[in-house]
Amino acid sequence: MRMTARSVSITFAGSGGAGVMTAGSMLLDAAGHAGWYAYMTRSSGAQIRGGEAAAMLRLSTAPVQSHDDHYDLLVAIDWQNVGRFSAEVPMTADGLVLGDPDGGEFPEQILAKGTRRADIPFKKIAKEIDGGRPNMIALGAVAALIGLPEEAVLKVVKDSLAKKGPAALAASEASVRAGAAFAASLPPSKRLAAATGGERQRLWSITGNEAAGLGAVRGGVRFVAAYPITPGTEVLEWLAPNLAKLGGALVQAEDELASVNQIIGASYGGTTSLTATSGPGLALMTESIGLAVASETPITIVNVMRGGPSTGIPVKSEQSDLNIALYGLHGDAPHLVVAPNSLADCAFSTQWAVHLADTLQTAAVVLSDQSLGQSRATIAPPADPGLRANRLRPEGELGDERYRRYRNTTSGVSPMAVPGMKGYQYTADGLEHTEVGTPSSQASDHSTQLDKRLRKLTAHDYGKYWADIDGEGEGDIAVITWGSTTGPVQEALERWRAAGKQGRMVSIRLLSPVRPEQLAAALEGVSRVLVVEQSHGAQFHRYLRAHYDLPGSVRAFHRPGPLPIRPDEIFRQLADWS
Amino acid sequence: MDATSTCPSYAARDYKSEVKPVWCPGCGDYSVLGALTKALAELSIPPENVALVSGIGCSSRLPAYTNVFGFHGVHGRALPIATGIKVSRPELTVIASGGDGDGFSIGGNHFMHACRRNVDMTYIVMDNEVYGMTKGQASPTTAPDWEKSKLTPQGTGINPFHPLVIALAAGANFIARGFSGDPNGTAQLITEAIRHPGFSFVQLLSPCVTFRPEQRDWKDAVHPAAVDPTDDPARAARRLMTDDGFNIGVLYRGNRQPFQPALKASVDSVADLEKEFVL
Ligand SMILES: Cc1ncc(C[n+]2csc(CCOP(=O)(O)OP(=O)(O)O)c2C)c(N)n1
Ligand code: SF4
């Protein structure tokens, strides 16, 4: 049974130290060298270090935005506690589970669906090689099973192990070859077609969190204040050395309250600034995000969502910080909420948010999530759209006039001076203020400034970026979604079309301010709307209901994390409705 | 302007705004404002090169009354805002100011870490041992038996916080205490604090005549510190621990290196960083 497919899904699992993440990353890079696309998420047990781990990959001949419904291949280097991943690694009926007979019992849960199993004696093969490594044997075997050219694997092995010395390199190469040789005796697995010449472009290997960091510096961010929290930390880890190279700085703050206020200070000083966090950190920041809104100081906060409430499920994904991002500030505090809808889009959306925050002199929250942020993929290099932080500055001499920092302009945006500009001294204030910035509790000042701060957001032309629309004008059914559930929705719609049906997708990137006219236009001719999101409380669905007129009948498909929403679940929603 | 010409000279009034303070008549904060503007004139720093940041409280109203770049933030967070300004714009003179509640209660964590981080800025706390703005509750520096607060009618029963000792232990580089009733002495302390590299902490006893009218007597209690400021933290700690709370003057001068990232680019553009992603 030799099957060639568009994509193949693989999990490497094992106890801590077995090297499953290394095997997974190398497979991802090797796929990239072979001209395939790859997407990988990592999952780990409850322990911080050590403990069981799984690297879950999907390799494809076309760009991939999400995981598939099932896995075709599960390779356990050993079985210690790997059963815990059974819910996360649903196997196809004709899938294949490989494990070392010396590495413990094959877990019942994983084999429950009648999946095929085969033994591969990693330990025994490794013993025969001087310095042999079971994870490299697994890598060689998997590559051979799915049809990935051995030279691509050997290139990655060479690139990453050369610095460990010739002996280590030779041992790993021998392990890869031994794994490939053993694979000849294994039952067949799903294979991918060889990439054609045209697809062999130079791909990037990048995580969503790194992409967000890249978007930040592309947008002009040069100051970051940081307090670590999973899964936002890697945005900061990428930024720390790279900001320094660009002449900027990252300061590790004492807490999130300090982080957000430090970036407010730096931005007030004229430096484009950002912080990254996750749910609990965002909660601590809300008061000061309101300060940025009221004082019209541009800042960007990347919130990489995880399962909540409270400390929730910190290592798994969810879209349940939507409410706090939209509504968490006290008072009437219009601000921007932008959501990347793919791993690569973490770069664009963050850059756009930085550009908007600076242009509109307000706070922007970027809502990424764990599954986008901590996944790694090979992607076509995302082009730099050229959007930069570009703040309106006052020009010329003021004469005798007082600088009206909060002048009520038509656009709502008023020129912002920075310290050092002679004659333009003003006090930025979170208290309600007059046009010159003097604290005021008068009704007229309050309403003028509230109107100004709202108007500058609603009147801005966000262009086509407010949403990504797939199948524009197609069919009478539309799926509305946002963020990381966009990938599975897109894939469900592809299957829907493959089944001869029609439908469109609207993935909203600009969550706030709302764009009711644009959505109405995008839904022209639609009589059924399916809303898809990963939250228990249907936060996105309720938000749409509150702010938009949705046509025809509306259904919501929502459930919490941590299990990812898979394309077939969405496909079934569509199919059951017909 | 040629290189030999002197800097323009400024008077205290050049640093004052037209906004009329909302402080109660007799509030100690008036003379802090006077002392600060005097110090800036003495240092002759152009007003546009000064950033004055505060939190929330009566004392935190200070920035609006000055003609420098000001930031009136939220309660307790003046120090992080000041840190962000100074780290990204090291050429500016950065001053944070506020009250004892703002700085030591809600902002206590930032206080400790600002001392430890030692960014080159000056922190002025107008200490009146009470929350003035919210109408007279106990603050971290209030004595345990003060019974006038409606929230703690039997007194707090807990020992007051010793901000100078904490500043020292946390690593502040310059520690001084002044009394707002002594505007010249206060101006002198602020001048020295601004001149001193690293994090300088100035506690200014500043009476709240509305909720602590008895603080008018502070003018009789204060006295100049009898000793020279030391740079030995152990000696300074012993002195501060036995201090009566009314010694005024510079009490400690450290010489730790201030924290300041280089802000020097080593690559030409963002595109140079992107190479790391190429497979
Ligand atoms: C988060 C938050 N909590 C509480 C308050 C209310 N509040 C305003 S000022 C203040 C205390 C001010 O006391 P202090 O810092 O000693 O300054 P003073 O008014 O005595 O100068 C409080 C509790 C607030 N503004 N924000
Ligand atoms: S309440 Fe006290 S601290 Fe506030 S202005 Fe009046 S006297 Fe000053």
Side-chain angles (χ1 to χ4, degrees):
Chain A
M1 185 172 52
R2 285 247 177 246
M3 312 152 270
T4 354
R6 208 200 95 178
S7 86
V8 53
S9 295
I10 303 142
T11 294
F12 290 100
S15 55
V20 299
M21 292 305 169
T22 309
S25 315
M26 286 184 165
L27 186 67
L28 177 124
D29 286 357
H33 286 301
W36 292 349
Y37 293 85
Y39 190 93
M40 173 175 123
T41 21
R42 25 174 87 215
S43 191
S44 46
Q47 294 90 336
I48 304 300
R49 279 214 137 187
E52 64 287 356
M56 298 152 170
L57 290 100
R58 185 181 191 189
L59 310 188
S60 172
T61 50
V64 267
Q65 302 289 0
S66 73
H67 282 295
D68 205 346
D69 308 330
H70 300 96
Y71 288 82
D72 305 297
L73 199 52
L74 168 63
V75 189
I77 296 174
D78 59 59
W79 286 111
Q80 221 179 321
N81 293 326
V82 167
R84 286 189 191 159
F85 294 118
S86 59
E88 285 173 65
V89 192
M91 298 295 297
T92 49
D94 59 356
L96 183 61
V97 179
L98 297 177
D100 192 333
D102 292 341
E105 282 298 303
F106 280 43
E108 287 292 313
Q109 315 92 294
I110 284 175
L111 295 173
K113 289 160 207 127
T115 309
R116 297 174 301 155
R117 61 166 278 184
D119 291 345
I120 171 163
F122 293 121
K123 287 216 180 89
K124 207 166 128 246
I125 303 173
K127 269 213 192 95
E128 288 157 15
I129 302 164
D130 190 16
R133 301 260 300 137
N135 65 332
M136 292 295 108
I137 295 166
L139 175 63
V142 166
L145 279 171
I146 63 174
L148 179 66
E150 196 169 86
E151 64 268 28
V153 180
L154 291 175
K155 175 169 173 24
V156 172
V157 170
K158 196 167 172 190
D159 288 352
S160 52
L161 290 174
K163 49 181 175 308
K164 292 212 170 155
L169 177 59
S172 288
E173 286 170 344
S175 300
V176 166
R177 290 206 176 93
F182 190 88
S185 66
L186 288 170
S189 161
K190 217 191 216 183
R191 298 172 72 83
L192 282 187
T196 59
E199 285 161 0
R200 284 176 167 272
Q201 59 165 316
R202 298 232 70 182
L203 299 179
W204 281 14
S205 167
I206 192 169
T207 68
N209 280 341
E210 290 168 346
L214 175 65
V217 294
R218 276 180 168 180
V221 168
R222 293 296 180 269
F223 181 84
V224 170
Y227 194 77
I229 181 167
T230 304
T233 312
E234 294 105 358
V235 178
L236 306 165
E237 286 173 346
W238 187 85
L239 282 165
N242 287 300
L243 276 172
K245 287 181 198 160
L246 290 167
L250 177 141
V251 175
Q252 182 174 329
E254 53 272 27
D255 54 31
E256 285 83 356
L257 305 151
S259 299
V260 68
N261 282 285
Q262 283 192 20
I263 67 169
I264 289 173
S267 176
Y268 169 80
T271 307
T272 305
S273 303
L274 169 145
T275 187
T277 189
S278 189
L282 181 67
L284 288 180
M285 290 179 191
T286 52
E287 183 197 16
S288 296
I289 298 174
L291 171 64
V293 170
S295 66
E296 304 200 43
T297 314
I299 55 164
T300 303
I301 302 104
V302 177
N303 182 59
V304 188
M305 296 180 285
R306 58 192 216 178
S310 188
T311 27
I313 310 183
V315 292
K316 303 274 156 96
S317 207
E318 207 163 74
Q319 295 179 320
S320 49
D321 290 345
L322 179 65
N323 280 350
I324 184 180
L326 292 167
Y327 306 117
L329 314 189
H330 63 275
D332 290 306
H335 60 286
L336 298 156
V337 181
V338 169
N341 58 25
S342 72
L343 187 149
D345 191 53
C346 289
F348 172 78
S349 283
T350 308
Q351 183 174 2
W352 189 46
V354 167
H355 161 79
L356 289 177
D358 238 59
T359 305
L360 300 172
Q361 299 176 20
T362 191
V365 178
V366 178
L367 280 182
S368 175
D369 65 23
Q370 186 271 340
S371 84
L372 295 177
Q374 293 195 316
S375 295
R376 175 173 289 283
T378 62
I379 57 171
D384 180 350
L387 298 165
R388 301 277 181 272
N390 186 14
R391 219 180 276 180
L392 188 65
R393 293 275 180 89
E395 279 170 26
E397 297 273 319
L398 271 172
D400 286 342
E401 207 188 321
R402 263 190 88 182
Y403 170 47
R404 286 189 287 161
R405 163 66 186 103
Y406 300 109
R407 190 155 61 89
N408 185 26
T409 58
T410 328
S411 68
V413 178
S414 25
M416 180 175 177
V418 296
M421 293 178 69
K422 193 167 179 239
Y424 284 97
Q425 294 93 308
Y426 75 99
T427 292
D429 211 318
L431 276 183
E432 194 52 277
H433 40 254
T434 63
E435 286 192 316
V436 293
T438 306
S440 164
S441 52
Q442 290 200 17
S444 60
D445 287 324
H446 190 41
S447 67
T448 302
Q449 294 293 326
L450 285 173
D451 283 348
K452 165 192 187 330
R453 296 193 292 256
L454 177 64
R455 187 170 70 245
K456 67 182 180 178
L457 298 199
T458 50
H460 185 74
D461 179 5
Y462 297 91
K464 59 179 195 281
Y465 301 134
W466 73 277
D468 281 349
I469 301 170
D470 219 19
E472 200 172 329
E474 192 185 301
D476 72 337
I477 194 160
V479 185
I480 308 184
T481 191
W482 72 285
S484 62
T485 42
T486 303
V489 166
Q490 258 167 333
E491 189 153 338
L493 273 176
E494 277 168 35
R495 296 179 195 180
W496 183 244
R497 291 182 190 126
K501 317 270 190 174
Q502 288 198 315
R504 63 185 98 165
M505 176 197 78
V506 182
S507 169
I508 300 184
R509 183 182 285 107
L510 183 68
L511 294 163
S512 177
V514 289
R515 305 279 86 195
E517 283 160 27
Q518 281 84 343
L519 186 65
L523 296 180
E524 182 85 44
V526 164
S527 60
R528 286 175 300 165
V529 172
L530 176 68
V531 180
V532 176
E533 64 184 300
Q534 193 180 26
S535 86
H536 189 252
Q539 296 184 15
F540 181 60
H541 174 225
R542 290 171 197 283
Y543 172 67
L544 290 176
R545 290 279 202 185
H547 296 279
Y548 292 94
D549 286 328
L550 298 177
S553 50
V554 180
R555 284 189 189 179
F557 173 59
H558 62 98
R559 61 166 177 73
L563 296 182
I565 289 186
R566 303 209 187 262
D568 72 331
E569 295 175 86
I570 302 160
F571 181 86
R572 270 187 278 118
Q573 293 289 327
L574 293 172
D576 290 350
W577 202 356
S578 306
Chain B
M1 209 164 52
D2 69 61
T4 54
S5 69
T6 51
C7 294
S9 63
Y10 294 95
R13 66 173 179 283
D14 295 326
Y15 299 89
K16 284 205 175 125
S17 78
E18 298 149 19
V19 181
K20 202 171 146 325
V22 292
W23 292 317
C24 310
C27 175
D29 297 347
Y30 284 100
S31 61
V32 176
L33 172 63
L36 172 66
T37 55
K38 209 164 160 211
L40 291 170
E42 164 77 27
L43 291 162
S44 216
I45 307 169
E48 66 271 18
N49 291 346
V50 179
L52 175 62
V53 185
S54 69
I56 294 293
C58 298
S59 42
S60 285
R61 287 287 182 126
L62 198 66
Y65 308 144
T66 65
N67 179 35
V68 300
F69 274 92
F71 205 120
H72 185 211
V74 296
H75 195 34
R77 319 283 167 216
L79 287 169
I81 291 187
T83 302
I85 298 175
K86 184 68 186 181
V87 169
S88 59
R89 295 282 310 276
E91 75 280 16
L92 299 173
T93 297
V94 178
I95 302 166
S97 64
D100 40 307
D102 188 79
F104 310 142
S105 201
I106 192 166
N109 196 32
H110 306 312
F111 176 53
M112 233 158 54
H113 290 278
C115 295
R116 183 171 81 91
R117 196 175 281 119
N118 198 28
V119 169
D120 182 19
M121 58 192 192
T122 300
Y123 184 35
I124 298 170
V125 174
M126 287 156 256
D127 193 346
N128 53 16
E129 299 178 5
V130 75
Y131 287 9
M133 180 155 273
T134 46
K135 301 197 164 55
Q137 297 81 20
S139 90
T141 51
T142 304
D145 57 356
W146 186 68
E147 295 172 350
K148 300 271 164 57
S149 163
K150 288 184 186 157
L151 291 188
T152 49
Q154 275 87 42
T156 62
I158 47 178
N159 271 349
F161 182 95
H162 197 324
L164 280 65
V165 175
I166 292 189
L168 180 75
N173 223 14
F174 176 103
I175 294 170
R177 183 191 286 125
F179 171 52
S180 71
D182 167 24
N184 289 336
T186 301
Q188 188 54 36
L189 286 182
I190 296 175
T191 308
E192 285 186 52
I194 293 174
R195 279 206 181 112
H196 194 86
F199 185 79
S200 305
F201 171 51
V202 185
Q203 179 196 32
L204 294 180
L205 304 175
S206 180
C208 171
V209 293
T210 301
F211 297 105
R212 306 290 309 260
E214 73 280 11
Q215 290 176 345
R216 292 179 201 269
D217 295 344
W218 279 357
K219 64 178 183 307
D220 304 320
V222 294
H223 51 86
V227 286
D228 280 342
T230 169
D231 65 354
D232 173 6
R235 270 182 61 206
R238 267 194 307 276
R239 266 195 220 152
L240 291 175
M241 287 301 286
T242 53
D243 169 283
D244 66 353
F246 293 101
N247 269 305
I248 57 177
V250 179
L251 302 171
Y252 173 74
R253 251 188 246 273
N255 43 27
R256 277 203 311 134
Q257 198 56 24
F259 170 84
Q260 179 56 55
L263 308 182
K264 272 220 171 66
S266 61
V267 295
D268 290 334
S269 70
V270 173
D272 289 336
L273 306 177
E274 295 173 0
K275 292 176 194 140
E276 75 168 81
F277 297 123
V278 179
L279 263 178

